[in-house]
Amino acid sequence: MELIATPVDLHRAARQLPRPLALVPTMGALHAGHLALVARAQELAAGGTVAASIFVNPAQFRPGEDLGRYPRPFAQDRRLLEAAGCHLLFAPTAESMYAADTSVTIRENSLSQTMCGLARPGHFDGVCLVVAKLFHLFQPDFALFGQKDFQQLTIVRRMVRDLNFGVQIVPVPTVREPDGLAMSSRNAYLSKEERREAPILYRTLRGAADKCLQGGITRSELEGWMSAEIGQARSSRVDYAVAVHPETLQPKTDLVPPMLLAAAVFFGTTRLLDNYLLDHANGTL
Ligand code: PAF
């Protein structure tokens, strides 16, 4: 696996890489969810290039968030990617990605104004900025994103449409622990007690999906039920628990597919996300 550490070197190398090229953007601290992205990338880029990036992007963290303590097990991540059959790893420093006087940015004005965007203003602009940079550098044919971060996936798709990037965004289903907890690099922050309680998040989303399919419930009743259910866990604090349209992320008035049930919940000081997608076939995507 080739390791490239600067945008300049990547720009040069990317032009020569066998195509198609599938890109898996990450912030490292890799788990089985990331490896599922790499496995899908391999299918899409058969005969071409599977590339990954590891970059803990300062632009998407707000002051006081976990930028400083975000796990960075680089040697282990590198081994995992190599073993998974990745051909190229781009792992730049923040200084090489952002000039000290960076002044051109990206702003998303609709989809980021709800859900996680309310608690983390500017976060998705930072995600768009780094993803746009990666797309410029790699010129990928495919880019893979996990469905756990559904709002991110929706916003990246919108950016690709609105800024005419020539890349196909490929969603990959969430990988879960045996008890249902969605894999996340931030699960490592959970205490024993918080880890024991955290599966209530996905259990509740599934329960909410069942309630929707049964009918006879309004959106505010459903959202209230989700918050109360999750709130039973002592270490939990619900940031939001909502039923929205999966493309617009606007509240659903009729609780019928397509619908995204999504929640962000603190367990102690760790904020976890999860969602359940009801599509037209009443299943997950
Ligand atoms: O989902 C992530 O890990 C990050 O938000 C991403 C897409 C790699 C951009 O920094």
Side-chain angles (χ1 to χ4, degrees), residues 25-27 34 55 57 60 70 123 127 130-131 145 149 152:
T26 83
M27 299 205 301
H34 295 109
F55 180 57
N57 171 35
Q60 69 189 76
Y70 198 86
H123 165 72
V127 170
V130 80
V131 171
F145 291 85
D149 299 318
Q152 169 173 281

Side-chain angles (χ1 to χ4, degrees), residues 10-40:
L10 178 59
H11 221 285
R12 217 172 286 133
R15 288 167 206 205
Q16 322 293 334
L17 294 170
R19 299 275 159 171
L21 188 151
L23 172 65
V24 179
T26 83
M27 299 205 301
L30 303 181
H31 50 67
H34 295 109
L35 299 179
L37 300 177
V38 175
R40 184 78 184 103

Side-chain angles (χ1 to χ4, degrees), residues 195-208:
R195 173 64 189 82
R196 199 180 54 73
E197 293 192 322
I200 196 158
L201 172 51
Y202 186 55
R203 252 200 329 272
T204 300
L205 293 167
R206 287 182 66 107

Side-chain angles (χ1 to χ4, degrees), residues 3 16 24 33 36 54-55 61 111 120 123 159 163 165-166 170 178 208 214 220 230 245 248 258 272 282:
L3 177 64
Q16 322 293 334
V24 179
I54 295 180
F55 180 57
F61 288 80
L111 301 169
R120 306 184 74 190
H123 165 72
M159 179 181 76
L163 299 186
F165 283 97
V170 180
Q214 281 157 21
S220 66
I230 297 166
H245 191 287
T248 63
L272 300 183
N282 291 350

Side-chain angles (χ1 to χ4, degrees), residues 99-117:
D101 58 351
T102 290
S103 59
V104 178
T105 57
I106 293 186
R107 185 135 179 210
E108 198 289 324
N109 291 300
S110 168
L111 301 169
S112 57
Q113 307 303 305
T114 175
M115 297 162 64
C116 289

